[in-house]
Amino acid sequence: MSGTIEVSPAPPAPVREPARPPARIPRPGRWTEARRSFRRHWQLYLLVVVPLAYFVIFKYIPISNAVIAFKDYSPVKGPWGSDWVGFKNFDLFFHNPVFWTLLKNTFILAVYLVLASFPIPIVLAIALNEIRQGVFKKTVQLVTYAPYFISTVVVVSMTLLVLSPRLGFVNDAIGLFGIPEVDFLGDPNYFRHIYVWSDVWQTTGYSAVIYLAALSGIDPALHESAKIDGASRLQRIRNVDIPGIMPTAVIILVLGVGNIMSIGFEKAFLLQNPLNQSQSEIIATYVYKTGLLNADFSMATAVGLFNSVLNLFLLVAVNFVAKRITGNGLWS
């Protein structure tokens, strides 16, 4: 019997197969996802049909008729059968002696309106937000909100009566101080002030509702923390409320500047008279007179198209600047 010990060889280690990547689940196509989403939320899609149809019928389809700006439009031949003239209508408008007057009057009036109507609703909304007495707050909201529902024709009629040299109480009031009567409606220097501040009076309460909604969305914990830190009411407004409504304010400002050349036609036309026409004649009133009164539809369309393109350029430019400065924009 020998003293050697036999050692059996160790079993070979199992060979591991390389891990296989998990099978990729094919993603459904876009049309499949769209059909699936429509089956799940068909009620919501049904609600969108009416607004979408409105924009298609009354906005997008009429855009095709803007082609008459490049044609010598004839009602007999129609928009597509009229003779093509290219940029002739635009050239005539740009070389018209009233071109720079229209552009200046429209731009100055619109800028004045934006500068006056933008900060006042913010101040009113912050003031209403700080009021704790419910009855007084609701009364102020009602008084400032109600003028928005008055039609433009009625507002202009009220303005004419108030500022009338003979019947208006404004001239009666300043007459008590020995000031002679002022023809506010006949002096062109007063037209822009009358237009802007009557519009501010009419729309401030409605615009303030938007900012009140934005203020209600601010986290109350921020105010509580500011109170604990000893911040006064003005400090809380400056450091909590104003930054909280800044995104909303920027969007409203961008939209306002984007429509800066689309100043309202009705009020300007109703306040206009031969004495103040040097400052009350704007692009909107010129388009009305050229297109409907003079039946020059091609020129009127060209002027309106120029105004729309200018508005689009201003909207994109101001949105770009606001996005760079504040980080907020229309498409952010």
Side-chain angles (χ1 to χ4, degrees):
M1 184 175 186
S2 62
T4 60
I5 300 176
E6 294 182 358
V7 179
S8 59
V15 180
R16 286 187 177 182
E17 297 182 0
R20 296 181 179 179
R24 296 182 61 182
I25 301 175
R27 295 183 59 184
R30 293 183 177 180
W31 289 107
T32 304
E33 291 183 353
R35 288 195 298 267
R36 188 177 301 171
S37 176
F38 181 79
R39 284 196 299 267
R40 291 179 179 177
H41 312 290
W42 64 270
Q43 298 92 341
L44 300 178
Y45 285 102
L46 191 61
L47 292 176
V48 180
V49 171
V50 176
L52 187 61
Y54 166 79
F55 279 100
V56 170
I57 296 172
F58 297 102
K59 300 295 182 180
Y60 291 103
I61 293 179
I63 289 177
S64 62
N65 292 325
V67 71
I68 67 176
F70 305 95
K71 294 191 173 187
D72 184 11
Y73 176 69
S74 170
V76 177
K77 297 180 180 179
W80 301 100
S82 301
D83 298 331
W84 184 271
V85 295
F87 291 94
K88 178 183 177 181
N89 294 314
F90 295 93
D91 186 66
L92 291 175
F93 175 61
F94 295 152
H95 289 87
N96 194 318
V98 302
F99 169 72
W100 290 110
T101 302
L102 294 174
L103 199 63
K104 183 188 71 174
N105 289 343
T106 305
F107 186 78
I108 293 176
L109 183 62
V111 171
Y112 186 7
L113 181 62
V114 170
L115 293 178
S117 62
F118 175 69
I120 295 179
I122 297 177
V123 175
L124 177 61
I126 293 175
L128 290 174
N129 190 58
E130 294 297 322
I131 296 176
R132 296 294 176 260
Q133 187 177 356
V135 176
F136 179 74
K137 181 178 181 178
K138 292 179 180 179
T139 303
V140 173
Q141 281 185 291
L142 177 62
V143 172
T144 56
Y145 190 75
Y148 181 78
F149 297 98
I150 303 176
S151 68
T152 303
V153 176
V154 176
V155 171
V156 172
S157 301
M158 295 168 58
T159 304
L160 296 178
L161 290 174
V162 169
L163 299 178
S164 174
R166 297 181 179 181
L167 303 176
F169 72 85
V170 173
N171 276 295
D172 293 339
I174 64 177
L176 298 176
F177 300 93
I179 302 175
E181 292 181 350
V182 180
D183 189 3
F184 294 100
L185 303 172
D187 191 342
N189 295 322
Y190 289 107
F191 170 78
R192 290 170 183 154
H193 304 295
I194 295 172
Y195 183 100
V196 169
W197 292 109
S198 62
D199 194 85
V200 170
W201 170 77
Q202 186 178 9
T203 61
T204 294
Y206 177 80
S207 301
V209 173
I210 302 175
Y211 296 107
L212 283 172
L215 287 169
S216 64
I218 297 176
D219 189 357
L222 297 176
H223 284 282
E224 297 298 331
S225 301
K227 289 180 181 180
I228 294 174
D229 292 338
S232 63
R233 177 171 292 185
L234 291 178
Q235 289 175 330
R236 284 188 280 115
I237 291 174
R238 185 174 64 251
N239 298 307
V240 178
D241 289 338
I242 294 180
I245 64 175
M246 188 57 64
T248 303
V250 169
I251 292 176
I252 292 178
L253 179 61
V254 170
L255 291 175
V257 176
N259 292 322
I260 204 168
M261 298 301 292
S262 295
I263 198 74
F265 157 76
E266 291 182 354
K267 185 178 291 186
F269 183 74
L270 293 173
L271 289 173
Q272 188 179 93
N273 58 61
L275 297 177
N276 63 16
Q277 197 166 359
S278 61
Q279 292 191 9
S280 63
E281 187 74 296
I282 59 177
I283 292 179
T285 58
Y286 181 79
V287 170
Y288 167 76
K289 295 175 182 178
T290 303
L292 295 181
L293 300 185
N294 298 334
D296 192 350
F297 302 106
S298 296
M299 176 61 70
T301 305
V303 177
L305 187 60
F306 163 76
N307 196 27
S308 300
V309 172
L310 188 58
N311 272 327
L312 177 62
F313 172 78
L314 289 173
L315 176 64
V316 175
V318 173
N319 183 72
F320 176 79
V321 174
K323 181 71 174 178
R324 283 297 185 91
I325 296 177
T326 64
N328 298 307
L330 294 178
W331 303 288
S332 59

